[in-house]
Amino acid sequence: MRQATGSQRVVVLGSTGSIGVSTLDVIARHPDRLRVHALSANSRMEDLAGQAAACGAPVVLVPDDAARARFVAAWRGENLPEIRVGAQALADTVAEAQCDMVVAAIVGAAGLPSALAAARAGKRILLANKEALVAAGTLFMQAVRDSGAELLPIDSEHNAIFQCLPHHGVSGNRAHAPSEPATSVRRLLLTASGGPFRLADPADLQSVTPAQACAHPNWSMGRKISVDSATMVNKGLEVIEAHWLFAMPPERIEVVIHPQSVVHSLVEYVDGSVLAQLGNPDMRTPISYGLGFPDRLESGVGMLDLARVGRLDFEEPNFARFPCLPLCFAALKAGQGACIALNAANEIAVQAFLEGRLPYTWIARVIEASLEWQAGWPSATLGSLEDVLAADAAVRAYAGNLGLA
Ligand code: NAD
Ligand code: MG
């Protein structure tokens, strides 16, 4: 494979997932300016081997020796890439000089240590892993500011907002993390599709199956975020993500249901102007924006045909149908311990639901019970990665022992 020497070297964390696959698709379209330095995956070593062979990755990151053996057995290319084993290898690889940018696309708080390592190392970070910000917003944003890292959101809503904001967070063509909200901005409006149960009768949700919950009307995504979209925990996590990314107070962030998923989010200015970013629902648009910033790259996404879309609808979210959404707003207002509890309890509950051990409607109950339990903790600083991981582990143990999960 021919590789340009002046190109940017990308580490894709979680390359076998939905975001990872879309990222590699965009990178492959731009061999003149992008190349892969390393790929990571936690499972599906056959997929990882295929990806590494196709893009010529010099390094792959696998969780343990068993995965290493599966990777070697699955390898069909010429020379094996360097195989690094264990979680620490992720943090080390994103920090090394051969890495220019990191796509943080691991699912869940498991992605926090490596995303934080990229922030501390001052790299360009394309952040998909919203759970890292939810669990450790203060720590993560401080690391970005201290190191001068460049943080580009690729969650579609936040990418849309980033595109619509006055570029007060950009200097010298580098994106920086603002520490105060833009004064000309009144509100951020996050759009949400409403997921597969937007019109469902809440009484019918008790018997929902994982297949039904994962059948998103507009987006094709990993299973965890698909369930989060059905419960609207995803939107709640995104409210918290927007709070950190744009230094925006919770009362200036709103959620609006928009079933077509064409308007990806909006920024309302003090003069009454509302700017929105539109496009087909395909993550390659925000990913290519992050990979190319400040340039625009061809992404493979088809052009938006407005006449075919026909109409754009908007409605207020129904908190009775989506009880997790107010729980997320409450967690943001309560503070970081509550946000850690929200995220960890949700991960435990969603996993139990996907494995058939928990009814769908109990996801909200597990979150609520965990938030109530966490509220009784003595106030403590959560100033280090170790503090955050310890709090996260405590909530997981509690939620897993509720007798529900
Ligand atoms: P996915 O389940 O499809 O892929 C997850 C990836 O992370 C896989 O490569 C997997 O091997 C890896 N991984 C899982 N657990 C791990 C662990 N413990 N340690 C290391 N690696 C691990 O998930 P996805 O849908 O691609 O989502 C990834 C992240 O991006 C999530 O945080 C999600 O919220 C966010 N996101 C996804 C989308 C989307 O369209 N899929 C959109 C916006 C944001
Ligand atoms: Mg999103």
Side-chain angles (χ1 to χ4, degrees), residues 90-158:
L90 273 62
D92 294 344
T93 302
V94 299
E96 67 191 7
Q98 294 89 331
C99 163
D100 298 305
M101 55 176 125
V102 178
V103 179
I106 289 173
V107 60
L112 171 60
S114 50
L116 186 63
R120 287 180 170 155
K123 305 294 178 171
R124 171 178 287 198
I125 305 158
L126 276 61
L127 188 72
N129 179 216
K130 64 195 84 181
E131 297 93 340
L133 261 190
V134 171
T138 318
L139 194 63
F140 188 86
M141 296 308 287
Q142 195 57 49
V144 168
R145 287 190 199 103
D146 289 349
S147 69
E150 198 178 18
L151 183 57
L152 291 162
I154 56 170
D155 205 348
S156 57
E157 296 76 3
H158 306 75

Side-chain angles (χ1 to χ4, degrees), residues 14 16-19 42 105-106 110 128-131 155 221-222 225 283:
T16 54
S18 166
I19 293 288
N42 203 41
I106 289 173
N129 179 216
K130 64 195 84 181
E131 297 93 340
D155 205 348
M221 309 180 286
I225 187 177
M283 290 306 292

